[in-house]
Amino acid sequence: MVRAPNIQRAIRNQPRTYRRALPEGVRLIRLTMPSIEEDDLRAVREVLLSGLLVQGARVETFERAVARYVGVDHAVAVSNCTAALHLALLALGVGRGDRVAVAAYSWPATANVIVLVGAEPVFVDIEPDTFNMSPLALKEVLGRTAVRAVMPVHTFGGPADMPRILEIAGRFGVPVIEDAACALGTELNGRKAGTWGVIGCFSFHPRKAITTGEGGMVVTNDPKLGRKLRILRNHGLDPAATFPDFIEAGYNLRLTEFQAALGTCQLNKLGRIISKRRVDAARYDGLLKDTRVNPPVALRDSRHVYQSYVSLLPAEVAPRRSKMIAELKSQGIETSIGTYHLPLTTFYRARGGYRAGDFPVTDDIAPRAISLPISEALTREEQDEVIFMLSRQIE
Ligand SMILES: Cc1ncc(COP(=O)(O)O)c(C=O)c1O
């Protein structure tokens, strides 16, 4: 039995849009809330007033800070993680006629970038406990299809089984690009997400632990790839030339100086933010023991950073999930689905002719997953209330 919490939520610093549709005096428990503080505001203000807004010293400082934090030689800041993944494929020469093995359960960007470079995604089913690419399913896919790259995702901030994925991809001589959008700080066997493959990609979208509004970072230990990424990110400009020279038709996928200043400031708080998320996650795990909702599972010897805390509803409740999410919202609790069954989205279903049954684990997980509020702003009382209201929905 989940005990009824003492509900006493006052409106505090709530944007008007979030108050709408809620009973008078009740504030919304947000799904997430970026940790933006005075020092972040000062950092951005200083840059804005300097008049130097793009591709300067702040971007370089942020790149060095992320490279140091993750433990890589090269970090290239870009405008978002979709750009990071896109550049990763281009830098590896993936293009027309190629195939790329990618996790079936992810945000659409993970597969879209493959299509955008002219290649075709080959979806790989996931593990039922961690929601990450299944090494066994990958082995089966690589056994029947030649691919140019493998793209696992560290879903919701929990590490994919990189030792096994690398071992299988290595057997087929295929490079691995890590979609670590949600996984800055995630570790497995003491090694950070984003450093296992040849390239790792991070996001600084506001739903991530630290944010620059939009923003991303590509990391690698390969100097040739690092140089190629820099060229492609900035109009084809030769990063080593003393007089500007353009050696390719590149893109403009740069991060701004004020975003980079914010990013550097945010990075200093990342350890604190992850610790709080892990405490909240452990507390949710405990509270969910009294319910029929299953908490998320992390691999052994891993450090899950809980970009999202995604639990699993009982199968019979899945058809009511959308209604439940709407009802919880009307009660002042913001929840959401986990992420997307990519092969069953309209675009990929039409493109690949996929049907229910092709990816049985993703079929089961995607409709049952529910993401609960998690952020530094979340209080213990709010957590009690989230679980109480959620459990009432499924009784
Ligand atoms: C797994 C995954 N990959 C890629 C992206 C794209 O990141 P961005 O929004 O920074 O482009 C996201 C965004 O949430 C994501 O969750």
Side-chain angles (χ1 to χ4, degrees):
M1 241 311 264
V2 177
R3 278 195 304 130
N6 181 16
I7 302 174
Q8 267 188 339
R9 275 184 284 135
I11 295 176
R12 274 186 279 133
N13 302 326
Q14 287 277 298
R16 201 163 284 286
T17 45
Y18 283 97
R19 286 187 227 149
R20 226 184 290 139
L22 292 177
E24 190 61 30
V26 171
R27 84 179 185 115
L28 187 64
I29 301 175
R30 300 276 303 270
L31 185 59
T32 193
M33 194 68 192
S35 299
I36 301 290
E37 297 164 311
E38 278 305 321
D39 55 345
D40 298 295
L41 300 178
R42 270 199 308 275
V44 172
R45 181 185 155 84
E46 190 191 309
V47 181
L48 289 176
L49 291 175
S50 78
L52 301 171
L53 305 190
V54 291
Q55 207 57 50
R58 265 83 175 200
V59 169
E60 282 173 25
T61 301
F62 185 38
E63 289 177 339
R64 277 198 301 275
V66 171
R68 204 167 38 244
Y69 175 79
V70 177
V72 289
D73 292 339
H74 308 278
V76 180
V78 287
S79 39
N80 50 61
C81 186
T82 307
L85 293 164
H86 193 174
L87 290 189
L89 291 170
L90 292 171
L92 286 170
V94 178
R96 199 157 298 284
D98 290 333
R99 290 172 189 278
V100 176
V102 63
Y105 186 53
S106 188
W107 180 249
T110 318
N112 288 350
V113 291
I114 299 168
V115 175
L116 291 173
V117 300
E120 202 55 49
V122 183
F123 291 107
V124 181
D125 209 355
I126 57 168
E127 300 275 32
D129 49 358
T130 64
F131 315 143
N132 283 316
M133 178 183 272
S134 154
L136 269 186
L138 175 66
K139 194 164 140 194
E140 193 271 317
V141 164
L142 298 195
R144 66 175 150 81
T145 317
V147 301
R148 278 291 316 279
V150 174
M151 281 174 64
V153 180
H154 301 292
T155 312
F156 310 134
D161 189 345
M162 293 311 296
R164 287 174 71 204
I165 289 172
L166 284 190
E167 195 262 315
I168 293 162
R171 230 185 284 161
F172 290 86
V174 180
V176 174
I177 300 169
E178 293 173 71
D179 181 342
C182 307
L184 187 64
T186 298
E187 288 179 18
L188 179 61
N189 305 336
R191 184 165 164 186
K192 288 233 164 59
T195 68
W196 293 81
V198 289
I199 297 182
C201 301
F202 297 101
S203 172
F204 304 112
H205 177 274
R207 265 201 73 182
K208 310 303 185 263
I210 63 167
T211 188
T212 58
E214 297 280 1
M217 193 72 74
V218 204
V219 303
T220 181
N221 281 315
D222 182 325
K224 281 205 187 109
L225 285 175
R227 176 176 155 79
K228 182 82 178 171
L229 291 164
R230 286 185 191 287
I231 295 168
L232 288 170
R233 171 270 305 260
N234 191 13
H235 299 288
L237 183 73
D238 181 352
T242 40
F243 185 80
D245 189 18
F246 297 85
I247 52 178
E248 275 196 45
Y251 298 77
N252 177 359
L253 298 174
R254 299 178 307 206
L255 194 71
T256 65
E257 283 283 279
F258 46 97
Q259 287 173 301
L262 177 59
T264 304
C265 203
Q266 288 268 291
L267 193 59
N268 292 331
K269 311 169 201 274
L270 181 59
R272 185 192 86 194
I273 292 170
I274 291 174
S275 298
K276 166 70 163 63
R277 281 171 183 255
R278 287 174 56 80
V279 168
D280 286 355
R283 194 149 187 284
Y284 270 143
D285 289 352
L287 292 169
L288 285 176
K289 283 209 178 90
D290 295 333
T291 74
R292 292 189 300 130
V293 178
N294 287 338
V297 175
L299 280 180
R300 271 185 53 188
D301 300 319
S302 74
R303 182 188 192 228
H304 196 312
V305 299
Y306 298 99
Q307 174 269 336
S308 294
Y309 184 89
V310 177
S311 53
L312 283 185
L313 297 168
E316 76 275 10
V317 175
R320 282 199 288 118
R321 184 180 60 169
S322 298
K323 193 160 166 269
M324 183 186 292
I325 288 173
E327 278 176 15
L328 285 169
K329 179 106 182 248
S330 74
Q331 293 160 355
I333 296 168
E334 190 178 34
T335 57
S336 83
I337 67 160
T339 190
Y340 292 87
H341 188 316
L342 295 179
L344 293 189
T345 57
T346 297
F347 179 71
Y348 289 106
R349 190 197 285 258
R351 196 174 176 93
Y354 300 111
R355 282 178 303 190
D358 291 344
F359 303 91
V361 180
T362 309
D363 289 350
D364 174 47
I365 298 300
R368 292 169 54 202
I370 186 161
S371 187
L372 305 184
I374 195 158
S375 70
E376 276 203 302
L378 184 72
T379 66
R380 292 165 67 95
E381 293 71 30
E382 287 172 340
Q383 275 195 294
D384 291 347
E385 193 182 336
V386 169
I387 299 304
F388 177 71
M389 294 302 212
L390 178 67
S391 59
R392 278 211 334 198
Q393 287 281 339
I394 57 171
E395 267 159 14

